[in-house]
Amino acid sequence: MKKSLIAGIACLSLSVTSGAPLAVLAHPIEISATDNGQTTLRPLSSDVAVIAHRGASAYGPEHTLAAYKQAMTMKADYVEFDLQMTKDGHLIAMHDETLARTTNAKELYPDRAPWQVKDFTLEEISRLDAGSWFNKAYPDKAKTEYIGQHVPTLEEAIEFVKQHGNGKVGLYMETKAPSVYPGMEEKLIEILKKTNVLDDEKLFLESFSEESLRKLKKLVPEVKLVQLYTAKMLSGKDVYQEFKRISDYAAGVGPSKELVVPKFMEAAHQNQLLVHPWTVNSQDDMVSLLSLGVDGEFTNNTDLLVDLLDNPFISHGVASGDITDSSAILWARTNEKARVQFEISTDSSFKHDTIVKTSRADVEHDFTVNVNATGLKPDTTYFYRAHAISSKYTVNGSFKTAPEENSLKPLTMVWGGDTGGQGEIPPFNSFKAMSALNPDFFLFSGDTIYADNKTPAVPNPPSETVEDFWAKYKENRTDAGLRSLLQKTGTFAIWDDHEVTNDFSGPTQPLTPTGLRAFKDYWPMSSERSTEDKLYQKYSWGNTMDMIILNNRGYRSPNTQADGADKTMLGKEQLEWLKQQLLASDAKVKLVATSVPISIPTGKAMARDGWANGNQVNPNDPTGYENEFKQISDFIIEKEIKNVFFVTTDVHFAEVIKYDANQDGKTDYNELISGPIGAVKINPGTLDPTFGPERLYAEGNFFNFGVFQINPSKQEAKVEIRDENGKVHFSHSFQLEE
Ligand code: G3P
Ligand code: CA
């Protein structure tokens, strides 16, 4: 029943350029029960095509009947033929224009270099051995049956698939080098007619040559045509315009796999073009492209893609977070209902002392799972791996536990925020640059999505349903750099406004519960933090640092309310908790992770969103939250709490500020600001003078992130601001007070 329902939906919304509604052409997949009905990052119909690239060419000699047979045994949906034409006008299945690489032509015809197909008759080619080369090249996959495999003609290949495909396997043919073989298109159509496959639903013709495809369009208007792309062919082109232009003849696009990013998917699916990337041979790449919503994949490893499509699998990577000296939260998501198993060990081969945890992925949480690994050793690197039970596909990760209490170990952390909105969509380079630093952990300082902005996942913002919010998180997890950072680095995620909507106040914003639900689903979050939606919590890195994570949205008064004793950003309880944490901390550094800045006026006039009221620009603006921040600032000074650093993002430029709020010439606390990672880039403005800020650095209009290092033995902390390529733009050391 399921399949027909989903197919029903698909046909409603889409018809490929040929006009015929899209029948089920391949592996049916669960167009997830949690789909938001508007994302362009999902297949156009309820199936994904397994296209056997040159046959099952990872396991047998490409373009031989043996490799085609294997592909069909492995349940490929299509077998792909590259076509060349012989001297006497016969179409054969072969990738290269020469016979040299995949046959024994050099031995059989030593004097016929460069052994171009167009220089040989079919009879001469029929004497070649097209299989032994594979046994020599891949001895571990060698088979005697490959010896003497011949070069198939197109008719032969078609008949072979018809005979062994049980009517389920489709044909996918490429006109290779059409400029070398005039009339190859006509010849091709002639054979398709002769073999009675021209009207088959499961037939695709593909080429890098637009001219060849337009010729085929004239010859057979109903047949589905796929325009292939290399990176070079697309460079400098606007994909939205390009795909609009080709959609008068093409039913799909076949890009080199690295070209596939959300923008590419949106441009293609907006023009009802199927997306079939090539050549995808690892399950990591297959999953990455499936998470982008491709409609099929060319692969040499038919079985690996079928395994993924036939079983639930880990679809958006894994992550670890809310790490302590003895525990870690592990996170994963599957593409449908499944039981997920985690193995955790200090031994990367998982042979010794392995902790096993399982959890059920269900629709309630968009198939995301969290498990709590406890009883861990401090200051230790742990390896973990996760897989959906019944799936071969396993994702590996690692994290480092915090050092034991009272120890003074060096620390390197990275922080960043503002990701995936205001016209910026994944991938974002900063994540790779962060990974390259092997940080101890990553602080994701809010705006981890832009729920209220237009992106391929939510083309019609704002996000309103939980499915919309989930779609946004999935969109950002299509970023391979982010996935790899989360896989190998413990992460602490905090929210800011765009996890719900711009400049929102939790208690009065109707979307808060929905946004919060999705935020908690998509980050590895401890129950201490998620219970009662508290989100604020302290984490220690031995005695080197206490990180006090705030929740700047959940308890705040409306931004428009005039500031005063009854206006709060943190809520009474959290404010008291913050003071207690600062007072009780005997760590070298107290880091306050806040999602809004102290003296940079943000939000709009009369509805300031950060602590500052911005009176230096609007003298009569009664809003902001300075009254409450003054309590925090005075408390730090009064209690002589040393080495306090406020760390944030939010303003979309980088800045480092020291504060002398009581004007006694001594720094009372510092503020470190980075960003954006991937959102609109802004230039710094003037600072609100209320708390005595002094700017050490400010730079705008570039993507960036921050690095914060503490070296307790040198009584030193250091901040760096690096751009998206990892280049240091600013570095400053702070001498820590005893
Ligand atoms: O046809 C898709 C893909 O196969 C294109 O590259 O060189 O393998 O034919 P190639
Ligand atoms: Ca090809």
Side-chain angles (χ1 to χ4, degrees):
M1 198 287 293
K2 192 172 60 184
K3 191 160 149 24
S4 56
L5 161 70
I6 296 164
I9 295 170
C11 294
L12 276 176
S13 58
L14 306 151
S15 65
V16 167
T17 321
S18 61
L22 260 181
V24 173
L25 299 174
H27 263 74
I29 58 158
E30 173 78 26
I31 286 258
S32 173
T34 61
D35 182 75
N36 72 343
Q38 61 168 312
T39 180
T40 53
L41 304 182
R42 63 161 188 187
L44 287 181
S45 78
S46 63
D47 50 37
V48 170
V50 177
I51 308 160
H53 184 241
R54 311 178 193 174
S57 51
Y59 308 107
E62 61 181 66
H63 293 315
T64 59
L65 301 185
Y68 296 159
K69 183 83 181 308
Q70 275 179 305
M72 291 185 275
T73 310
M74 290 172 175
K75 296 199 298 180
D77 297 301
Y78 294 84
V79 175
E80 187 223 11
F81 308 149
D82 296 309
L83 303 176
Q84 309 286 342
M85 194 142 76
T86 66
K87 188 175 180 179
D88 45 354
H90 292 276
L91 291 179
I92 60 168
M94 179 162 285
H95 178 268
D96 303 1
E97 285 175 49
T98 82
L99 301 159
R101 179 175 64 88
T102 57
T103 73
N104 61 342
K106 288 183 181 177
E107 291 79 36
L108 208 58
Y109 306 110
D111 55 350
R112 301 275 295 274
W115 300 284
Q116 290 192 305
V117 175
K118 67 180 176 59
D119 301 332
F120 288 77
T121 63
L122 181 61
E123 193 282 324
E124 289 171 322
I125 290 174
S126 65
R127 283 192 250 137
L128 293 170
D129 172 344
S132 297
W133 72 273
F134 183 88
N135 288 354
K136 282 198 212 89
Y138 307 103
D140 56 330
K141 295 183 184 142
K143 290 190 177 156
T144 43
E145 73 178 86
Y146 295 156
I147 300 167
Q149 284 282 317
H150 66 283
V151 176
T153 62
L154 176 58
E155 282 119 292
E156 204 183 345
I158 292 174
E159 293 305 344
F160 187 77
V161 171
K162 283 168 69 175
Q163 190 191 342
H164 295 274
N166 310 326
K168 285 210 194 90
V169 180
L171 302 167
Y172 213 118
M173 303 170 207
E174 180 181 349
T175 54
K176 272 271 177 231
S179 56
V180 177
Y181 311 116
M184 115 181 266
E185 291 82 4
E186 289 79 1
K187 188 71 188 172
L188 169 57
I189 302 307
E190 182 196 311
I191 293 167
L192 295 179
K193 282 186 183 144
K194 202 165 126 204
T195 53
N196 275 322
V197 295
L198 195 54
D199 304 325
D200 277 12
E201 196 45 59
K202 295 183 79 169
L203 172 65
F204 283 95
L205 304 180
E206 52 167 337
S207 186
F208 287 101
S209 157
E210 175 170 339
E211 191 191 337
S212 177
L213 291 171
R214 284 189 181 278
K215 200 170 168 190
L216 287 166
K217 185 69 184 173
K218 285 209 183 76
L219 292 167
V220 284
E222 293 311 310
V223 173
K224 292 185 286 295
L225 306 178
V226 170
Q227 174 66 57
L228 300 175
Y229 285 101
T230 60
K232 194 155 167 283
M233 289 168 71
L234 262 184
S235 73
K237 286 194 177 139
D238 173 295
V239 278
Y240 296 91
Q241 284 165 12
E242 171 69 5
F243 293 165
K244 190 161 179 31
R245 187 182 68 76
I246 69 161
S247 58
D248 65 345
Y249 66 89
V253 288
S256 181
K257 64 176 187 278
E258 77 282 358
L259 291 168
V260 184
V261 291
K263 195 170 164 185
F264 185 105
M265 292 304 300
E266 183 177 51
H269 283 176
Q270 267 176 3
N271 290 286
Q272 313 313 337
L273 294 169
L274 297 163
V275 178
H276 293 163
W278 51 273
T279 306
V280 194
N281 298 332
S282 74
Q283 284 198 315
D284 273 343
D285 287 350
M286 291 170 182
V287 167
S288 169
L289 290 160
L290 289 172
S291 75
L292 280 155
V294 298
D295 305 280
E297 297 179 7
F298 288 91
T299 179
N300 297 349
N301 302 76
T302 305
D303 58 336
L304 297 183
L305 184 53
V306 169
D307 166 65
L308 287 173
L309 296 174
D310 282 0
N311 304 292
F313 60 88
I314 304 273
S315 60
H316 289 75
V318 294
S320 64
D322 288 10
I323 313 257
T324 71
D325 57 1
S326 63
S327 68
I329 305 295
L330 303 182
W331 177 97
R333 181 194 185 260
T334 55
N335 64 321
E336 59 182 292
K337 225 181 359 262
R339 253 161 41 76
V340 178
Q341 183 183 64
F342 292 85
E343 294 157 279
I344 306 120
S345 176
T346 52
D347 161 17
S348 59
S349 66
F350 301 95
K351 290 206 182 73
H352 313 291
D353 318 324
T354 299
I355 304 165
V356 178
K357 293 252 174 192
T358 62
S359 180
R360 182 165 291 289
D362 63 33
V363 72
E364 178 65 18
H365 298 288
D366 196 20
F367 312 116
T368 61
V369 292
N370 265 312
V371 297
N372 188 3
T374 54
L376 307 180
K377 286 186 281 219
D379 201 20
T380 305
T381 296
Y382 277 84
F383 303 94
Y384 65 99
R385 61 185 180 187
H387 72 283
I389 311 279
S390 76
S391 164
K392 284 201 204 110
Y393 180 54
T394 296
V395 184
N396 285 59
S398 62
F399 61 88
K400 192 173 171 194
T401 50
E404 58 273 309
E405 219 174 332
N406 303 327
S407 66
L408 281 173
K409 296 283 172 59
L411 163 70
T412 297
M413 60 170 276
V414 293
W415 91 92
D418 314 309
T419 308
Q422 299 156 343
E424 301 293 340
I425 45 182
F428 306 116
N429 297 332
S430 294
F431 294 120
K432 281 200 209 84
M434 288 181 186
S435 283
L437 299 173
N438 289 320
D440 293 308
F441 67 78
F442 166 41
L443 170 64
F444 207 163
S445 302
D447 294 354
T448 59
I449 60 166
Y450 278 70
D452 51 341
N453 279 207
K454 176 179 169 28
T455 60
V458 178
N460 313 306
S463 298
E464 282 163 344
T465 64
V466 70
E467 287 83 5
D468 286 338
F469 288 91
W470 283 334
K472 284 282 183 174
Y473 287 105
K474 284 182 281 213
E475 179 174 55
N476 275 358
R477 295 295 163 92
T478 66
D479 185 324
L482 173 59
R483 274 207 316 278
S484 132
L485 176 68
L486 297 179
Q487 265 167 248
K488 67 184 193 91
T489 313
T491 296
F492 297 88
I494 69 175
W495 71 343
D496 188 27
D497 52 336
H498 291 289
E499 274 80 2
V500 175
T501 189
N502 189 45
D503 293 355
F504 85 101
S505 298
T508 49
Q509 171 47 247
L511 285 172
T512 300
T514 312
L516 180 54
R517 175 180 167 190
F519 175 70
K520 293 198 303 182
D521 285 335
Y522 266 83
W523 292 106
M525 195 169 297
S526 65
S527 55
E528 293 86 17
R529 271 224 284 159
S530 60
T531 309
E532 291 160 18
D533 306 333
K534 211 162 80 24
L535 302 189
Y536 60 84
Q537 182 71 17
K538 182 201 75 180
Y539 290 90
S540 298
W541 197 259
N543 232 18
T544 299
M545 183 181 82
D546 279 346
M547 177 165 69
I548 302 164
I549 292 182
L550 297 183
N551 174 354
N552 300 80
R553 295 285 160 187
Y555 307 94
R556 93 173 22 212
S557 312
N559 286 9
T560 51
Q561 180 179 332
D563 197 4
D566 57 356
K567 185 173 184 183
T568 179
M569 182 184 290
L570 301 178
K572 215 165 169 5
E573 202 182 308
Q574 182 181 191
L575 177 61
E576 280 321 305
W577 170 85
L578 169 60
K579 292 178 181 173
Q580 279 155 25
Q581 297 303 324
L582 286 169
L583 192 59
S585 171
D586 58 1
K588 199 53 81 208
V589 166
K590 295 82 183 171
L591 184 144
V592 180
T594 163
S595 67
V596 294
I598 299 168
S599 61
I600 295 166
T602 56
K604 297 187 289 300
M606 309 312 281
R608 288 301 179 190
D609 187 68
W611 303 96
N613 56 27
N615 282 177
Q616 85 279 12
V617 271
N618 315 87
N620 307 319
D621 188 330
T623 63
Y625 298 80
E626 291 189 7
N627 184 290
E628 183 169 73
F629 192 80
K630 184 163 183 350
Q631 294 173 47
I632 299 167
S633 176
D634 292 352
F635 185 81
I636 292 169
I637 294 167
E638 223 173 273
K639 304 296 181 189
E640 297 180 358
I641 300 168
K642 297 189 176 65
N643 310 324
V644 177
F645 291 81
F646 289 85
V647 170
T648 191
T649 54
D650 186 38
V651 296
H652 300 221
F653 49 80
E655 188 143 1
V656 174
I657 304 168
K658 65 179 186 178
Y659 289 84
D660 178 7
N662 60 357
Q663 306 296 311
D664 65 351
K666 197 172 90 31
T667 300
D668 303 315
Y669 41 83
N670 297 285
E671 186 179 25
L672 316 176
I673 305 173
S674 74
I677 288 174
V680 68
K681 294 172 269 187
I682 299 176
N683 280 312
T686 58
L687 298 177
D688 182 308
T690 304
F691 298 105
E694 182 186 332
R695 175 178 278 169
L696 299 175
Y697 160 78
E699 182 181 358
N701 210 21
F702 74 127
F703 295 132
N704 67 81
F705 64 94
V707 183
F708 188 55
Q709 294 175 305
I710 305 170
N711 185 336
S713 60
K714 281 171 99 187
Q715 278 295 103
E716 188 187 76
K718 188 169 97 174
V719 63
E720 289 176 346
I721 299 295
R722 291 179 180 242
D723 66 21
E724 62 179 328
N725 305 313
K727 180 164 165 280
V728 177
H729 281 233
F730 174 75
S731 173
H732 180 81
S733 293
F734 299 87
Q735 198 50 44
L736 298 174
E737 295 179 69
E738 285 294 344

